[in-house]
Structures are given as structure tokens and as C-alpha cells.
Amino acid sequence: MPVLNEKAYLERAVETVLAQEVDGPVELILALGPSTDGTTELARELARRHDQGHEVVLVDNPQADIPIGLNRAIRAARYPTIVRVDAHSELEPGYATRALATLSRVRAANVGGVMRADGRSPFQRAVARAYNSPIGLGGGAYHGGTQEGEAESAYLGVMRRDVLEEVGMFDESIRRGEDWELNLRIRRAGYRVWFDPALAVTYWPRESWTRLARQFSATGRWRGELVRRYGRGNSVRFFAPPALVVVLVLAAVVGVLQVSGILTGLWSAMAALVYLPVIAYVLLVVVVAIGPGGGTGWRDKLWTLAVLPTMHLSWGAGFLGGLIRGAHDTVDTSRLGDRNTPLP
């Protein structure tokens, strides 16, 4: 479990992991980044509290990067199966037992389930609804798939350690999308990545608009970097948000040219066709917001109207930046307060 500034969520996350009933020895390894909110102190207290029974092991992750923390935790691990967990999520009862059984039954290298986003505030609940909706993050099986089978990637993942070591573990040069890239290498090595909808993990999204925008911008930028590196290995669905951004920019340019009188007549009428996908997108967001997918009450629906475009446009703009210039040292600062670097 990589951990950074998760004081409000860590204790519950640890409890749901240690509550898993597994026929065999278990250890929980926390890779601690340089938190500033008291998370490290809480982690040490949890390790002391659980010094009997399940062992909680702490390893340092001063770089604060998720793949580095994951690799350090895996190297410190003693057992042949790695269950990746997250400090911002909670495992459903029976998750580990079911995942281990599926891993053996289908002879997979990695098994994952459904990310069930949830929220504690109107804004966070709006983000959760977007996560759970095909309109928000549609395409990935783990965002709401119901059919068990081979998959492109796995949310979190229950993995065979020998396969991880064979393919080189997590790529420490990738700061976002490291799970997708790992699963690509696993599949290219001839192993199965499997989706089991009976597995469920509760995920708590970002709690504010600015944090959400920063998270999705960084994620989109790294997806653009992954397209630069792996080309056709990326799903077509990843190109929808950047296409939306391009269409919006073109529509704005056409509007300026029309208002200024530079674009007139037949050319103006033809160029106006660029407004159609924009209108369709706006109508789609409005329909989702005012319908059951927008929650209950005007406050929930207004937040949905704000959240969906924020996710799409932040991700799409970040993608274009990553595709054109690369991700370089881009980091997700959404858990780092007002700071722009991953370290204090």
C-alpha cells in the first residue's frame, strides 16, 4: 500500500485489509511517502497496534512516487502472492479469498475487480457517480463491467510475484498509469490479466474541484506519454477526451472568425458544423445531470454539471500536453496541498 497524506482514510483502509480472511500467512506493507498531515505518525501507531497477529511492515518511499513505493514494498514482501491495495480505498469482505481462488482457477498472472467509487460530501459523491458511469470514465471493465474474462488492465490487482519479477515489476519512470503499463507487459509476456466482477473495492475520490482537476490533468499527461511510448497498445477510448478538447478549441476559433467577419458565406456555414459535437456533448452532460445519474437534489445535479466537464477537459488537455511534449517530471499534486512538487 503506497501512502501519502492519507490521514483521513488510512486507518479504515488498513482495517479492511487486516479483516480479510486468508488461509495462510499475511503481511501488510505500507510504503510511506513524506506526508505532512500526520499520516506517517498514524501508520506507526497502526503498526504498533497490530504487532500481534497480522504484521504491518513500514518501508520508506522518500521519492513519493507510486511505482517506486510499490516496488520497495514488493521487495520487502516475503510471500508469493502480491495484493496491491490503496490507502484511499476499502476492500470488500471476502475480497482476498475470492481473488486468490480466481487467480488459481483461471491460471492468471493478475486478477482485479470493480472500483466502486463513493463519497462523503456532495462534491465527492458527484465525482464518485462520474467514476461509476460510462459517461465519466467509461470503457474500462473495472469501472462497472459485469462480464468476467480477460482484460486490458486490472484495478489494484492480485498478482503472482514470480511473474512480476519476470517482467521487471513496476516501471519507476512512469508516475501515472503504471498499472496499465505493467499489465501490458504481463500480457505481452504471454500471461493472462483477468477481470472478476465479484471482486469489489470502495474508492474515495478527491474532495475538491481543484484537486480533481490537478489529478486528471496529471493522469491525462501521463496517458499522452504512454501513447508516445506504446502507440497502438493504447485503447481507442483514451482519445475521446483530447478529441473533445480539440473540437472545443476549433469551435472557439470558428466563433471568433465569424464574429470578426473574416469567415462568411458558405465557408462560415461549413465551419459551423464544428458546433454540432459541442452541442451534443453539452446536451449529454445536461441529460446525465438532470437524470438519475446526477444524484438527488439540485446541489448534487449542479456538482455533476461541474464534475463531468472538469474530468474530461482536464484529462484531455493533459493528454495533448503529454502527447506533444511528453510527461517528463509531471506529478499528481492533488494530495499535496498547495505545493507543486512531490517532496516537502
Side-chain angles (χ1 to χ4, degrees):
M1 179 190 295
V3 180
L4 178 67
N5 288 333
E6 296 286 7
K7 186 177 181 180
Y9 297 92
L10 180 62
E11 184 168 4
R12 180 59 184 162
V14 168
E15 288 175 355
T16 65
V17 170
L18 298 183
Q20 299 294 308
E21 297 181 358
V22 177
D23 185 17
V26 174
E27 61 186 350
L28 172 60
I29 304 176
L30 307 183
L32 301 178
S35 297
T36 58
D37 67 345
T39 294
T40 299
E41 292 75 15
L42 174 59
R44 290 171 180 157
E45 169 58 28
L46 292 172
R48 286 192 294 269
R49 189 186 307 172
H50 296 285
D51 61 355
Q52 300 295 325
H54 295 313
E55 184 177 1
V56 178
V57 180
L58 308 181
V59 298
D60 289 330
N61 178 26
Q63 292 88 346
D65 288 334
I66 290 176
I68 294 177
L70 288 169
N71 283 345
R72 290 190 174 194
I74 292 168
R75 292 188 185 102
R78 294 175 292 171
Y79 304 124
T81 306
I82 302 297
V83 182
R84 178 180 172 180
V85 291
D86 190 85
H88 222 58
S89 62
E90 299 173 10
L91 301 185
E92 294 293 314
Y95 175 90
T97 299
R98 169 79 187 199
L100 291 171
T102 301
L103 194 70
S104 175
R105 171 173 58 87
V106 303
R107 299 178 183 273
N110 189 9
V111 171
V114 178
M115 172 200 283
R116 291 180 179 167
D118 202 353
R120 299 174 178 175
S121 66
F123 175 84
Q124 197 177 41
R125 287 194 294 271
V127 178
R129 286 191 298 273
Y131 266 84
N132 296 331
S133 167
I135 304 302
L137 291 179
Y142 58 85
H143 286 303
T146 58
Q147 187 67 41
E148 182 178 12
E150 292 193 43
E152 174 187 12
S153 187
Y155 174 57
L156 297 181
V158 178
M159 298 164 273
R160 289 169 44 191
R161 179 175 182 156
D162 59 339
V163 175
L164 286 178
E165 293 174 342
E166 178 184 332
V167 301
M169 302 214 293
F170 287 92
D171 186 335
E172 297 183 359
S173 72
I174 298 174
R175 286 176 163 170
R176 300 290 295 178
E178 72 287 337
D179 48 355
W180 177 90
E181 190 275 340
L182 172 66
N183 283 297
L184 176 64
R185 282 186 282 121
I186 289 174
R187 290 187 286 111
R188 287 182 173 179
Y191 297 101
R192 279 179 164 182
V193 175
W194 195 263
F195 170 71
D196 184 353
L199 300 173
V201 180
T202 299
Y203 171 77
W204 301 98
R206 300 301 188 266
E207 305 92 339
S208 73
W209 183 85
T210 54
R211 290 179 183 272
L212 180 70
R214 296 206 306 264
Q215 176 196 14
F216 272 73
S217 177
T219 303
R221 183 134 191 164
W222 274 105
R223 176 54 58 182
E225 172 67 30
L226 291 173
V227 169
R228 286 166 63 99
R229 296 190 190 190
Y230 297 101
R232 291 186 179 181
N234 293 267
S235 173
V236 173
R237 64 189 172 89
F238 294 129
F239 294 85
L244 173 64
V245 173
V246 170
V247 168
L248 287 173
V249 171
L250 289 176
V253 171
V254 169
V256 170
L257 294 177
Q258 288 174 330
V259 169
S260 63
I262 297 175
L263 198 60
T264 59
L266 179 60
W267 289 108
S268 177
M270 293 176 61
L273 293 175
V274 75
Y275 297 138
L276 294 180
V278 176
I279 295 171
Y281 175 75
V282 171
L283 289 175
L284 177 64
V285 171
V286 171
V287 168
V288 171
I290 65 178
T296 58
W298 64 269
R299 194 175 183 183
D300 280 2
K301 297 183 183 301
L302 286 178
W303 273 127
T304 301
L305 281 174
V307 161
L308 285 172
T310 297
M311 293 167 63
H312 295 153
L313 298 180
S314 297
W315 201 99
F319 178 99
L320 292 173
L323 183 64
I324 295 169
R325 298 188 298 272
H328 301 294
D329 294 327
T330 299
V331 295
D332 175 11
T333 62
S334 60
R335 296 215 197 282
L336 302 173
D338 296 327
R339 291 181 283 117
N340 295 316
T341 62
L343 302 177

